Amino acid sequence: MKRISVDIGGTFSDCFLVWDDIYVEAKALTTHHNLAFGFNEALDLACQRAGVTRNDALRDVDSVRYATTLGTNALIEGKGPKVAALVTHGFEDTIHLSRGRGYGEGLDGTKQGDMADAQRPEPLVPRHLVRSIKERVDSVGEILVPVMVDDVRKQMRELVDNGAEAIVVALTNATENSTHEQQILEIILEEYPSHQLGAIPVLLSHQVSGRKGEYVRATSTIVDAFLHQTMFYALTQLSNNLRNSGYEKPMLVIHNSGGMAQSNSTDALQTIHSGPIAGVSGAEHLAKATGIGNVVSMDMGGTSFDIGLVPEGGVRHYDFQPTIGRWLVSVPMIHLNTLGAGGGSIASFDRIHNAVQIGPQSAGSDPGPACYERGGLDVTVTDADLILCYLDPENYANGYITLNKKRSVHAIGETLCDELDLDVVDVAKVIKRTVDEQMAIGIEKELRSRGGLVEDYTMLAYGGNGPLHACGIAAKAGISKILFPPFASVFSALGAGNMKPLHIHERSAYIVLYEPRKRVLYDNYELFNSYIEELEAKGAEDLVRQGYNVEDVKYRLELDMRYGNQLVTTAVSFEINRVVGVADVLYLIKTFAEIFGLRYGEGTQAPEAGVRVQTLRVASFVEGDVVKFDSIKTGEGRTVPEEVSHRMVHFTDIAEPVQTPVYDERALKHDRVIPGPAIVTTGSTTYLVEPGWHLEPTIQGAVWLLKG
């Protein structure tokens, strides 16, 4: 297997190269003005370590996989084209009215509760760029009013005259019958053919989301249209960069559904958070391969802190109506909780609470933390870590970046010391303690809200800054086992390299598997199976279009199920793809009950209220080669390696600095143990072993941090 996978984050671009039996990791600073530059720099470093040239690698690899946060950043910054919308007559204000709680979408709990200051976000589609079409389809897909062609032409011309650069068509009940949306597309293409200058992208809502819910489906399509131009040019730029270096295959883009596809089969909406989600997929693969049980993944990079859950058995937690920015959308996305707390997160003084606030603003890679000497003046978490002597100024990022401690001292002294009435070291301790507590609270809330117990989970920590803060976070969260996976600093890129070509198609359906009043089971098997066949056909078409053989396509059936009218809807995956009798219906109900009991506690099931299916979903995928993980078992008879130096290090719970042994990557052998306190500096990251913990390396570079 020969494969390149790259995760471009807000601060670093991570590269993972598989060259037969050689696994290589590399990092470079993200170049936001042109992502290809940072991409090439990281790839060149990886190729150099593998002993091949970039051109030779790109000529021989089977694929290049790319994960990005570009779409996320574009949405946050509000950079996008003028989007216009065509909707059903009478629904012109649906987009702007949103929902009753639309003012709070994307805000934290405190701001959601501030009703006096509640404000809805500025719409991505201005009201003057919304036009209605005289047509109507009812809730079962029957056409009540046909499309009036002249009306469509008139409305479209008005939108173009008003400066529309992308068109969204979101008609009522289009998921039940998409004929009218397709017809409008044909009319628009007649007016503005794709081969003419001035043609504009047209997105149909039923192609973006198969779920009912007019507002959320429209919003999903609008966000997709808003990001379309940015993603198109960025992916084209990266693709051209690869072709100029001799890569002739299609570039693959990571999706937030946990799969990947060629760029011409990717919606911009599917790229949101794709980098962190690649890390969760890598955690899922590692957990299955090594049998370590329940895992909470923790990805602390330069810009954010991402939390994902992988319960034993690999049952994925999805968000089916996630909030992206301030917008509620309808797209199946692997659940991820993102906090604005990374190594580059800015520490500021909160006058209201008389305390330090971490993030969500980040210094990114340019200018970066103050210690980078790139013009940054803000205090960041990395500056605090440097002042506490966790980092080696001459050997940060394998010597790629030289840190200036004086800059960090000056930045903290100018901005926080007087406000807190503390010296520089004590302020740095406050920053370290605050960021650790903030992330520990995030992990605890995530586990408890999903029905998990903290003590039952192993923390899987990765990302460039994870090893520095893992002990502090775990101690405050009550976790006693931390595993740093192989290639921890580029683990999201590794996860991208393991992902499958996958497409998810879904449709809303109201199916009652068990009716409690009449005590009858569902028996319309033909209709149920026809829904599944329809979704499988769409998935097969997507994959065959990308060059895969239809015989290699596999399918996984998932249902969104609930008891009666409960608000809690649970996604359940099944081992069967068809229902042909009572036994299969009972199997669906039993599996749902088991998953529900595991998640919310045995005895919480309520079959007496009825069992309903809200949505059918089919994941269509093709299996492929994956990175092999070696044993991660710990063992007896370990010896303490010889340190390379000592350093006076400050710990948050100890008043005076502690003389701490420093080790290099030669100490990370599977027959060694390193008691805390200690620091281990490698070419890609730094492990901080706090007092009361010890470090046990394993084969292939995985590292345990264990309490005691």
Side-chain angles (χ1 to χ4, degrees), residues 564-610:
N565 290 322
Q566 284 186 357
L567 294 178
V568 174
T569 301
T570 304
V572 185
S573 179
F574 299 96
E575 296 180 358
I576 62 173
N577 290 339
R578 296 292 185 274
V579 174
V580 296
V582 172
D584 291 334
V585 175
L586 291 174
Y587 163 73
L588 300 180
I589 294 173
K590 179 183 177 183
T591 305
F592 169 48
E594 291 173 351
I595 297 298
F596 196 93
L598 286 173
R599 191 163 296 179
Y600 301 108
E602 195 59 40
T604 58
Q605 300 94 332
E608 66 277 4

Side-chain angles (χ1 to χ4, degrees), residues 74 171 218 224 265 300-301 393 419 473 496 498 504 533 615 654:
L171 304 181
D224 201 11
S265 296
M300 185 178 180
E419 301 285 3
I473 296 168
N498 278 343
I504 293 179
E533 290 166 4
T615 306
I654 301 176

Side-chain angles (χ1 to χ4, degrees), residues 273-345:
H273 301 321
S274 62
I277 283 171
V280 177
S281 291
E284 179 184 9
H285 172 58
L286 178 67
K288 286 182 178 179
T290 59
I292 58 176
N294 299 317
V295 167
V296 54
S297 65
M298 182 197 86
D299 180 2
M300 185 178 180
T303 305
S304 62
F305 177 76
D306 301 298
I307 305 167
L309 294 184
V310 182
E312 189 168 8
V315 179
R316 294 184 175 188
H317 287 282
Y318 279 102
D319 286 330
F320 298 106
Q321 288 193 337
T323 301
I324 297 176
R326 295 292 307 280
W327 312 105
L328 188 71
V329 300
S330 179
V331 58
M333 179 188 299
I334 290 181
H335 177 73
L336 194 73
N337 186 11
T338 299
L339 306 177
S345 294

Side-chain angles (χ1 to χ4, degrees), residues 279-499:
V280 177
S281 291
E284 179 184 9
H285 172 58
L286 178 67
K288 286 182 178 179
T290 59
I292 58 176
N294 299 317
V295 167
V296 54
S297 65
M298 182 197 86
D299 180 2
M300 185 178 180
T303 305
S304 62
F305 177 76
D306 301 298
I307 305 167
L309 294 184
V310 182
E312 189 168 8
V315 179
R316 294 184 175 188
H317 287 282
Y318 279 102
D319 286 330
F320 298 106
Q321 288 193 337
T323 301
I324 297 176
R326 295 292 307 280
W327 312 105
L328 188 71
V329 300
S330 179
V331 58
M333 179 188 299
I334 290 181
H335 177 73
L336 194 73
N337 186 11
T338 299
L339 306 177
S345 294
I346 295 172
S348 57
F349 182 68
D350 183 349
R351 297 184 182 279
I352 295 177
H353 299 96
N354 193 34
V356 170
Q357 176 178 314
I358 307 298
Q361 295 80 18
S362 173
S365 60
D366 187 13
C371 57
Y372 277 20
E373 289 195 288
R374 295 173 180 264
L377 301 176
D378 294 310
V379 179
T380 69
V381 175
T382 296
D383 291 305
D385 291 339
L386 179 61
I387 288 172
L388 296 175
C389 299
Y390 302 154
L391 301 173
D392 181 355
E394 304 298 324
N395 194 27
Y396 181 71
N398 203 29
Y400 181 78
I401 302 173
T402 300
L403 304 181
N404 188 330
K405 188 174 180 179
K406 291 181 179 179
R407 294 275 186 182
S408 299
V409 171
H410 176 76
I412 287 182
E414 288 291 310
T415 59
L416 293 174
C417 285
D418 290 343
E419 301 285 3
L420 296 171
D421 194 23
L422 296 171
D423 64 24
V424 171
V425 171
D426 285 335
V427 171
K429 286 184 178 182
V430 170
I431 293 172
K432 168 73 161 58
R433 190 181 301 116
T434 301
V435 74
D436 289 353
E437 288 175 350
Q438 185 173 320
M439 291 187 278
I441 291 170
I443 288 175
E444 289 183 272
K445 287 175 64 177
E446 188 65 20
L447 284 172
R448 292 195 168 96
S449 66
R450 298 277 165 174
L453 297 175
V454 173
E455 56 268 24
D456 293 339
Y457 277 75
T458 296
M459 178 191 288
L460 189 71
Y462 50 90
N465 287 288
L468 276 176
H469 291 264
C471 284
I473 296 168
K476 289 176 171 58
I479 294 175
S480 59
K481 296 185 298 182
I482 306 169
L483 175 64
F484 300 100
F487 314 103
S489 69
V490 298
F491 193 69
S492 289
L494 183 154
N498 278 343
M499 296 173 89

Side-chain angles (χ1 to χ4, degrees), residues 37-38 48 78 134 230 331 390 414 480 524 607 642-643 686:
F37 294 160
Q48 178 185 341
K134 294 173 182 176
T230 299
V331 58
Y390 302 154
E414 288 291 310
S480 59
N524 194 347
E642 184 176 349
E643 64 268 21
T686 299

Side-chain angles (χ1 to χ4, degrees), residues 395 398 638-645 662-674 679-685 687 695-698 701 703:
N395 194 27
N398 203 29
R638 292 172 176 262
T639 59
V640 178
E642 184 176 349
E643 64 268 21
V644 295
S645 64
V662 178
Y663 304 86
D664 60 18
E665 56 192 7
R666 291 173 295 180
L668 297 179
K669 296 180 180 179
H670 67 275
D671 58 349
R672 304 295 176 87
V673 61
I674 299 175
I679 290 175
V680 184
T681 302
T682 72
S684 54
T685 193
Y687 296 94
L695 182 149
E696 295 188 15
T698 70
V703 173

Side-chain angles (χ1 to χ4, degrees), residues 536-552:
E536 288 181 349
K538 290 180 179 179
E541 180 184 353
D542 286 334
L543 292 166
V544 169
R545 185 177 62 247
Q546 297 172 65
Y548 299 100
N549 295 322
V550 68
E551 297 82 9
D552 296 331

